[in-house]
Amino acid sequence: MKTTRTLFRTTLVAAAAAVLSTAAFAQAGAKLKVGLMLPYTGTFAALGNAIENGFKLYVTEQGGKIAGREVEFVKVDDESDPSKATDNVNKLVKRDNVDVLIGTVHSGVAMAMAKVAKESGTLLIVPNAGADAVTGPMCAPNIFRSSFSNWQPGYAMGEVMAKKGIKKVATITWKYAAGDESVKGFKEAFEKGGGTVVKELNLPFPNVEFQALLTDIAATKPDAVFTFFAGGGAVKFVKDYAAAGLKKTIPLYGSGFLTDGTLDAQGADAEGLFTALHYADSMEIAKDKTFRLAYAKTYKLQPDVYAVQGYDAAQILGIGLKAVNGDTSKKAEFAKAVEAAKIDSPRGTFSLSKAHNPVQDIYLRQVVGKENKLVGVASKALADPARGCKM
Ligand code: BEZ
């Protein structure tokens, strides 16, 4: 059995080693290489920029360093193109030797990133893409998400619409993981609540030729429509829906990406729309107030959900790295610290599930002027079911 003195000495040695390893990284000037793989062109370009802004705001608040290591960024424009995703992520991992991958927006691209991260053991923090598989069958100790699963906002909106007494709904979205899974989540809750999905319409990503589908909705005459679109596609959809005269006759609902970061471009056509998301404007949350002020001051822009997710991706990295004194090779200790953390987010405090997806409140919001005004909590502390995750 160890004596108290030996124990004390062992503890001292461990503490000294920890300090030394931080010092070693700092002294050697080993910068922390962060690979940002985001869309900087195409329909999700604004989303990628907002994520980068949010991430960098946190780094700036930390004096440009995380866990004592100066941060260096390496950027790749993934163009939201799944066919280029494996090559793009391999550039960051194999050519640039990044310490951590941050990305991305598009679910299909994120799944390719998760595959490479899982195989190579590189830390990956997903700051948007909701692909259920990332924290489902593809879950891994080195993969984390600061955003949501596609299932979450869809499911919450299904509950809200069923409770409103809406009976027959048509859905419309892009045919890829984010669209399919948002609708699936919606349908699960809506049908559980007594509603029926009478028509499921879709078009390939990032197509925005909505006319034929809008004609189909008009002919089907559902009680309401549920949709997932985001970025530039969401702007066009909301405008086309109103121009087709449908806004007045068939109420439009969506997961909140439909109206987040898009309201300047959508104008009056978005007014009054109800959506569900893990963030809203005008929330009475102290952290949100300071975040919004700092973001507006730094970028001369109002933040949106994507900026929040970028900021929180950096917070997650900060929490994990502080626990391992900047040593990214200590994956298990990194994960343990993040799993135990309460993340002080502008959206409200959240924690990560065992599968590393946020357990969070999903808010009901309504567009009033240029804001997604908070109406209430649609679903409290909603956890993704993480189907297929074995961890
Ligand atoms: C996705 O592909 O997962 C996604 C893209 C934009 C907004 C939300 C989700």
Side-chain angles (χ1 to χ4, degrees):
M1 214 170 48
K2 284 184 177 170
T3 63
T4 313
R5 199 184 311 156
T6 340
L7 259 180
F8 181 64
R9 202 180 310 132
T10 316
T11 315
L12 269 184
V13 169
V19 172
L20 261 180
S21 68
T22 316
F25 277 117
Q27 253 178 17
K31 290 187 179 170
L32 179 75
K33 256 195 178 183
V34 174
L36 291 179
M37 183 160 148
L38 292 166
Y40 295 106
T41 51
T43 198
F44 290 158
L47 289 58
N49 283 311
I51 288 168
E52 180 178 332
N53 286 348
F55 193 96
K56 287 188 167 168
L57 180 62
Y58 175 81
V59 175
T60 304
E61 285 173 3
Q62 305 302 307
K65 289 183 179 172
I66 301 186
R69 295 179 70 179
E70 208 176 302
V71 180
E72 176 188 343
F73 291 101
V74 188
K75 284 169 56 166
V76 166
D77 176 7
D78 68 37
E79 303 168 51
S80 296
D81 186 345
S83 73
K84 298 181 183 162
T86 305
D87 282 351
N88 278 333
V89 69
N90 274 328
K91 272 185 216 152
L92 290 171
V93 172
K94 295 189 180 150
R95 183 194 64 189
D96 300 322
N97 275 312
V98 298
D99 294 299
V100 57
L101 288 164
I102 305 294
T104 185
V105 169
H106 183 287
S107 274
V109 178
M111 283 192 275
M113 293 185 78
K115 187 164 182 289
V116 171
K118 201 168 171 159
E119 286 164 5
S120 63
T122 313
L123 281 174
L124 166 64
I125 305 176
V126 180
N128 182 70
D132 291 346
V134 167
T135 52
M138 303 180 86
C139 74
N142 58 317
I143 299 178
F144 304 85
R145 183 149 55 194
S146 65
S147 51
F148 60 94
S149 74
N150 289 323
W151 179 91
Q152 282 176 308
Y155 189 88
M157 202 32 136
E159 287 186 317
V160 168
M161 289 173 70
K163 277 189 204 136
K164 273 183 187 270
I166 296 169
K167 292 292 175 216
K168 288 189 299 165
V169 162
T171 64
I172 177 166
T173 188
W174 278 313
K175 182 91 204 119
Y176 82 110
D180 292 346
E181 292 167 1
S182 301
V183 167
K184 208 166 159 210
F186 166 78
K187 206 171 163 185
E188 186 181 329
F190 186 59
E191 295 195 341
K192 214 189 272 175
T196 311
V197 172
V198 292
K199 185 153 261 180
E200 293 185 40
L201 298 166
N202 47 56
L203 72 172
F205 174 88
N207 198 324
V208 289
E209 296 312 316
F210 300 117
Q211 216 45 55
L213 301 177
L214 293 175
T215 305
D216 199 337
I217 290 173
T220 305
K221 295 192 178 64
D223 299 334
V225 165
F226 170 81
T227 189
F228 164 86
F229 287 110
V235 171
K236 174 121 185 339
F237 182 75
V238 165
K239 294 193 88 55
D240 286 4
Y241 197 85
L246 291 173
K247 190 173 174 224
K248 289 190 225 97
T249 50
I250 306 174
L252 177 63
Y253 296 84
S255 48
F257 312 105
L258 186 69
T259 57
D260 227 270
T262 54
L263 291 176
D264 282 341
Q266 289 164 333
D269 292 336
E271 187 70 20
L273 295 184
F274 284 98
T275 63
L277 204 64
H278 48 286
Y279 188 58
D281 299 317
S282 67
M283 291 197 296
E284 288 304 313
I285 294 175
K287 178 76 179 179
D288 190 42
K289 290 197 170 148
T290 47
F291 168 76
R292 291 182 79 97
L293 272 176
Y295 192 93
K297 197 168 158 213
T298 309
Y299 301 111
K300 316 284 175 262
L301 286 170
Q302 285 305 312
D304 54 21
V305 70
Y306 309 105
V308 170
Q309 294 168 170
Y311 185 83
D312 289 342
Q315 291 212 79
I316 289 173
L317 181 62
I319 290 164
L321 276 189
K322 276 173 200 151
V324 296
N325 297 304
D327 184 349
T328 47
S329 70
K330 294 187 173 159
K331 305 269 164 26
E333 293 98 314
F334 181 103
K336 202 168 160 216
V338 173
E339 283 162 11
K342 298 252 173 292
I343 295 143
D344 187 17
S345 167
R347 76 188 82 172
T349 305
F350 72 90
S351 56
L352 291 187
S353 67
K354 270 179 78 179
H356 297 169
N357 190 65
V359 178
Q360 57 193 341
D361 293 349
I362 307 290
Y363 304 108
L364 179 64
R365 312 111 46 91
Q366 184 176 31
V367 176
V368 180
K370 292 288 162 65
E371 288 206 334
N372 285 290
K373 282 247 184 243
L374 177 70
V375 175
V377 176
S379 202
K380 185 94 196 131
L382 187 64
D384 177 86
R387 293 170 183 133
C389 171
K390 295 194 178 61
M391 203 165 50

